[in-house]
Amino acid sequence: MSLDDALTAVLAQAVRLDAPEMVDTFEADGRVLWADAVSPLQVPPLDNSAMDGYAVRCADVAQAGVVLPVSQRIPAGHVGEPLQPSTAARIFTGAPVPQGADAIVMQEDADVQPDGSVRINAVPAPSQWVRRAGEDIANGSRVLHAGTRLTPAALGLAASIGMAQLQVARRPRVALFSTGDELVMPGAVAPQDMPPGSIYNSNRFFLRALLQRLGCEVNDCGIVPDNRDATMRVMREAARGNDLIVSTAGVSVGEEDHVKPAVEALGELGLWKISMKPGKPFAFGTIFSEDADGSGQRKRTHFMGLPGNPVSSFVTFLMLVRPFVLRLQGMENVTPRSVPMKAAFDITKADARREFLRVRYAEQGNVELFKNQSSGVLTSAAWGDGVVDNPAMTTIQRGDWVRFISFAELLQ
């Protein structure tokens, strides 16, 4: 199955979670907005000064060197009196422009005279350094759309229209576990005491961090041994109170791969070979459980099974799990953006699968390739700034334009 077809199938099952919640705007960074934010006012509310300087009538300053008496002083937060002809008003950034004034002369273009008047050394243009009322936000306009993932700038925008709280999608509840008798948690066994054949569990660390960055509440179910009963037991427990279960390894069809039969026994499973590298084995399905309120109705919990190799698990998460989790929260545009970059490397052998090559920026403004692209070499992901999305059966020559997807885009 192509990655695009797999993603279409996955997103078709991603129904926005119910029960939105109100949160303090201070605490809404990274959350997904549930409803449109509509402004009850205009911003700025009045014409105001963009500079510290002097409010004037352009008709009174027909040439440089005109001296005007200063009739008033207007700091930010105060409204001045109407500006009398042939006078200037001392004004500060953000202060409302007085009625009658039609330009601001910045203080660098003015000299204060001994008697307190001011010499205007530059002829102002109409509306110079004046921020018009409503030029940022019009009353009744939609300033943030439902489905927007809130950024620091978006929070400031919401605050500028008086929103102390925001209605956001609730956090997806995700159960996470790894399978494999060979897995050991860092800290449980010293490196020199590791049994032969054992490895430290790295997937659990980056997957948990990725889910938390996406706004999820993570229920870490630990390491599950290669045992059918143990896998079934964890699956049943994980289905209670979670919206999604994410596992790594055990999704193939080997004798020690127990995730597939466990999910099939408890629900429905699609096991796909995705035409992507790294990646390939990917499981997607549903686990049924009785509703927690005792109504007897079956609750559906999504299941996504990732490959065991670290880079395969990492890339498959970014390309399939990430957009699914964002869509659960109501985001529509969940496809990562690619930008054209020039390759500082060669790929002489075309692969039948779509490749995601780990690369990083080079000093010349192009991207260089990590030398070992094996799915087990997690160093490539930590070293890189992103991936090159290389279509199937495509070679690359140094200097070719390639599609680059930044980790800054994928990991936020």
Side-chain angles (χ1 to χ4, degrees):
M1 182 181 293
S2 73
L3 176 59
D4 288 339
D5 287 345
L7 182 58
T8 298
V10 163
L11 293 181
Q13 302 299 316
V15 178
R16 185 170 72 158
L17 298 173
D18 57 3
E21 56 190 30
M22 295 295 295
V23 299
D24 191 287
T25 302
F26 273 125
E27 307 301 326
D29 184 36
R31 305 296 293 271
V32 178
L33 193 64
W34 182 269
D36 292 344
V38 177
S39 179
L41 46 75
Q42 63 181 6
V43 178
L46 300 170
D47 291 355
N48 70 83
S49 176
M51 290 284 178
D52 289 348
Y54 296 88
V56 298
R57 295 172 180 266
C58 290
D60 294 335
V61 191
Q63 60 186 15
V66 170
V67 176
L68 299 174
V70 177
S71 59
Q72 58 183 310
R73 183 177 185 274
I74 312 173
H78 297 265
V79 178
E81 298 295 329
L83 185 67
Q84 298 302 312
S86 299
T87 69
R90 178 67 165 129
I91 196 167
F92 296 88
T93 303
V97 176
Q99 182 181 343
D102 57 6
I104 305 296
V105 175
M106 61 181 181
Q107 61 188 17
E108 290 83 355
D109 290 333
D111 292 324
V112 178
Q113 303 302 296
D115 64 356
S117 61
V118 61
R119 181 190 298 276
I120 307 299
N121 298 321
V123 177
S127 299
Q128 173 180 293
W129 302 121
V130 175
R131 295 187 291 215
R132 292 301 181 189
E135 74 173 28
D136 185 8
I137 301 170
N139 191 347
S141 65
R142 181 170 55 177
V143 299
L144 293 170
H145 293 250
T148 297
R149 193 164 181 217
L150 296 166
T151 62
L155 299 184
L157 186 59
S160 75
I161 61 172
M163 303 190 74
Q165 290 187 314
L166 294 169
Q167 189 178 37
V168 297
R170 71 168 174 84
R171 296 185 183 276
R173 294 185 287 269
V174 182
L176 173 67
F177 66 86
S178 305
T179 67
D181 291 339
E182 76 280 12
L183 297 177
V184 176
M185 283 298 291
V189 180
Q192 65 272 17
D193 298 327
M194 286 281 281
S198 296
I199 59 173
Y200 287 121
N201 184 358
S202 59
N203 294 6
R204 187 168 159 194
F205 285 82
F206 64 71
L207 290 174
R208 177 172 175 156
L210 287 168
L211 287 166
Q212 289 174 332
R213 286 192 177 197
L214 293 173
C216 299
E217 294 179 5
V218 181
N219 175 22
D220 194 332
C221 300
I223 299 172
V224 179
D226 289 324
N227 175 278
R228 181 74 56 86
D229 291 340
T231 305
M232 293 275 288
R233 185 167 53 252
V234 169
M235 287 284 191
R236 285 196 190 95
E237 186 62 30
R240 297 175 182 269
N242 288 295
D243 305 298
L244 171 65
I245 300 170
V246 176
S247 72
T248 61
V251 295
S252 191
V253 292
E255 293 182 7
E256 296 300 322
D257 294 320
H258 301 292
V259 172
K260 178 179 181 291
V263 176
E264 290 174 331
L266 298 172
E268 301 169 346
L269 179 71
L271 181 59
W272 306 329
K273 291 183 178 179
I274 309 294
S275 183
M276 62 181 289
K277 180 182 179 181
K280 202 170 183 179
F282 175 76
F284 180 70
T286 301
I287 294 178
F288 299 109
S289 61
E290 286 192 3
D291 198 358
D293 64 6
S295 65
Q297 295 181 348
R298 295 200 302 176
K299 175 182 177 293
R300 298 171 64 93
T301 300
H302 300 290
F303 169 76
M304 305 181 88
L306 305 179
N309 279 329
V311 184
S312 295
S313 182
F314 183 75
V315 173
T316 305
F317 181 98
L318 295 178
M319 298 303 155
L320 289 167
V321 182
R322 176 185 178 272
F324 182 81
V325 168
L326 292 175
R327 183 63 60 82
L328 285 180
Q329 297 175 75
M331 281 189 66
E332 284 298 321
N333 185 9
V334 295
T335 304
R337 293 168 295 182
S338 63
V339 295
M341 297 285 286
K342 281 192 174 182
F345 58 89
D346 298 310
I347 297 291
T348 58
K349 183 178 179 181
D351 198 285
R353 292 179 286 169
R354 181 176 173 181
E355 293 183 279
F356 291 91
L357 306 166
R358 277 78 69 205
V359 297
R360 74 177 178 187
Y361 298 114
E363 291 183 358
Q364 295 77 16
N366 47 27
V367 289
E368 58 184 348
L369 186 73
F370 191 77
K371 61 182 179 180
N372 189 340
Q373 293 287 314
S374 169
S375 61
V377 180
L378 194 54
T379 307
S380 64
W383 171 91
D385 294 313
V387 294
V388 164
D389 181 0
N390 192 40
M393 303 306 299
T394 302
T395 59
I396 298 174
Q397 291 185 336
R398 188 178 299 268
D400 285 350
W401 289 99
V402 293
R403 296 185 299 187
F404 173 73
I405 305 175
S406 171
F407 282 152
E409 169 86 7
L410 292 169
L411 304 183
Q412 61 181 338

